[in-house]
Amino acid sequence: MTDSHVVIIKQSQTQNAALLDIAANFPNTRIFSSAVDAVQQLELAPADAVIIESETDDLDGVEAAEMIRDIGTESGHFSYIIILDVSGETALSATQNSTSSKEVDAIAFGFTHLARLLATGLRLSSQINDLKKHNAELTRNNLILQKGQLLDPLTGLGNRRFAEQGLNDSIKQIESRGGAACFLSLIHI
């Protein structure tokens, strides 16, 4: 997991040994004090896990998480998002109950379990991204197989399924526009 990409979005005044340890253990860690800058960089280079303080200098942690989820949806890359509440208070209790909290994968109250939570998040992110790649490959192979089922391999001409699909498409088009059609089918045995 040392090749995992981690982004930390923190308030500019936050200095903590746990965050420094994460940066030391993961060489591909990027630290930002601006959530807006981090989101812009995540558009260019996605991360496997993102740790966001609940309150950053420019954005609320949940707002940043929503923006990161939107980027992930567009790019097809999953990032595990951890909101970090370092205030020691349960400032995120309202966030947990809000509808937008579905964008957040985990909430850490303090630094105690942050390293384990990050390790779990990186494993999950890796598995989800692998599944997305496999799913895309299966979809691509399925399209190739479907196309192969429509053409005769010897002649390259459309077969019965191709004709049925063309007929159904023509009927739908005629029904939507109104009108009539005539089809002639010649079968040579």
Side-chain angles (χ1 to χ4, degrees):
M1 271 197 268
T2 57
D3 61 338
S4 298
H5 294 268
V6 177
V7 166
I8 299 172
I9 306 170
K10 64 180 193 68
Q11 291 182 5
S12 53
Q13 72 268 16
T14 302
Q15 294 296 325
N16 184 279
L19 293 177
L20 297 175
D21 285 345
I22 289 169
N25 290 330
F26 297 96
N28 296 324
T29 299
R30 297 173 281 171
I31 299 175
F32 297 91
S33 58
S34 165
V36 173
D37 291 345
V39 168
Q40 289 173 343
Q41 287 300 311
L42 287 169
E43 288 178 336
L44 303 173
D48 298 309
V50 180
I51 300 170
I52 311 168
E53 279 196 41
S54 58
E55 293 295 327
T56 62
D57 294 337
D58 52 0
L59 277 179
D60 171 286
V62 174
E63 292 172 328
E66 289 174 353
M67 295 170 82
I68 293 166
R69 273 295 174 250
D70 291 342
I71 292 168
T73 300
E74 291 173 11
S75 70
H77 184 84
F78 176 80
S79 296
Y80 190 85
I81 300 174
I82 302 169
I83 297 261
L84 178 62
D85 185 4
V86 294
S87 66
E89 301 170 10
T90 55
L92 291 174
S93 61
T95 302
Q96 287 176 309
N97 297 327
S98 75
T99 56
S100 59
S101 66
K102 66 181 180 209
E103 308 300 341
V104 178
D105 297 307
I107 298 175
F109 295 99
F111 298 99
T112 309
H113 302 290
L114 185 59
R116 280 186 272 165
L117 193 56
L118 177 61
T120 301
L122 288 171
R123 279 193 308 273
L124 184 62
S125 176
S126 174
Q127 290 172 347
I128 288 173
N129 286 319
D130 285 346
L131 288 172
K132 284 184 175 214
K133 286 177 189 173
H134 291 302
N135 190 28
E137 185 178 331
L138 288 171
T139 302
R140 193 172 37 256
N141 289 340
N142 191 20
L143 290 174
I144 291 169
L145 288 172
Q146 286 177 357
K147 182 180 177 187
Q149 289 179 342
L150 297 176
L151 301 176
D152 181 86
L154 183 61
T155 63
L157 299 174
N159 59 18
R160 183 180 57 84
R161 276 199 180 117
F162 181 80
E164 287 175 354
Q165 184 178 355
L167 180 63
N168 287 334
D169 290 344
S170 296
I171 290 171
K172 286 178 186 175
Q173 185 178 22
I174 291 168
E175 286 176 347
S176 68
R177 292 185 184 169
C182 177
F183 289 97
L184 176 63
S185 177
L186 299 174
I187 301 173
H188 178 28
I189 299 179

